[in-house]
């Protein structure tokens, strides 16, 4: 028997704003709100399915260093260029981490600066 990822936890300054952003990016919905201000977002069918949920946990602490984990996303219903345009309209911004310009992916940051990559491959929706 093995484990699988069921939840990702992201500390952030504004859980509501990041919930709106990532719900739009991933076509997720808000699944739960906790008394401490945490918000859990995930697929419309809820927790326990093939995709992990994301818990956005409020923190007032400044970011200490570059995170050791980032998210990669793939478009499901459009090509990479169209998806890049959509993500930029939602509030993502390009980030330079030393790319050469020859990469097949785009490095972006969410509204709080968390880096993620938009990959080229188009995946079938779940």
């Amino acid at each position: 028997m093995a484990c699988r990822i069921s939840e990702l936890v992201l500390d952030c300054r504004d859980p509501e704003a990041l919930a709106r952003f990532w719900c739009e990016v991933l076509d997720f919905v808000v699944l739960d709100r906790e008394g401490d201000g945490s918000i859990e977002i995930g697929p419309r069918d809820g927790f326990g399915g093939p995709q992990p949920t994301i818990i956005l946990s409020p923190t007032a602490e400044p970011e200490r260093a570059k995170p050791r984990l980032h998210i990669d996303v793939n478009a499901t219903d459009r090509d990479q260029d169209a998806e890049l345009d959509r993500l930029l309209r939602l509030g993502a911004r390009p980030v330079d981490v030393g790319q050469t310009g020859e990469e097949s992916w785009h490095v972006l940051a969410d509204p709080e600066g968390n880096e993620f990559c938009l990959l080229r491959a188009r995946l079938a929706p779940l």
Side-chain angles (χ1 to χ4, degrees):
M1 183 143 255
C3 292
R4 69 181 174 106
I5 296 172
S6 59
E7 300 172 346
L8 300 171
V9 179
L10 180 61
D11 290 341
C12 58
R13 292 179 298 281
D14 189 347
E16 288 290 339
L18 278 192
R20 284 189 301 274
F21 176 80
W22 284 108
C23 280
E24 286 292 326
V25 170
L26 300 171
D27 192 30
F28 276 14
V29 296
V30 172
L31 299 173
D32 193 23
R33 284 186 164 81
E34 295 292 327
D36 68 354
S38 294
I39 300 173
E40 184 173 15
I41 64 172
R44 296 176 188 283
D45 56 355
F47 178 82
Q51 295 185 61
T53 63
I54 299 173
I55 297 173
L56 302 160
S57 180
T59 184
E61 295 179 22
E63 187 177 329
R64 292 189 184 110
K66 180 179 174 176
R68 296 179 76 178
L69 175 72
H70 75 262
I71 297 172
D72 288 342
V73 298
N74 295 76
T76 59
D77 62 350
R78 65 198 80 195
D79 68 24
Q80 186 187 39
D81 290 338
E83 184 64 1
L84 177 62
D85 289 341
R86 185 181 82 89
L87 295 175
L88 294 172
R89 285 193 313 274
L90 290 174
R93 61 181 173 77
V95 176
D96 182 356
V97 295
Q99 305 93 299
T100 65
E102 299 299 316
E103 294 80 7
S104 62
W105 63 87
H106 295 278
V107 182
L108 304 167
D110 72 13
E112 286 202 8
N114 300 299
E115 294 171 5
F116 67 101
C117 293
L118 171 62
L119 304 182
R120 176 179 290 157
R122 185 170 161 183
L123 298 178
L126 291 175

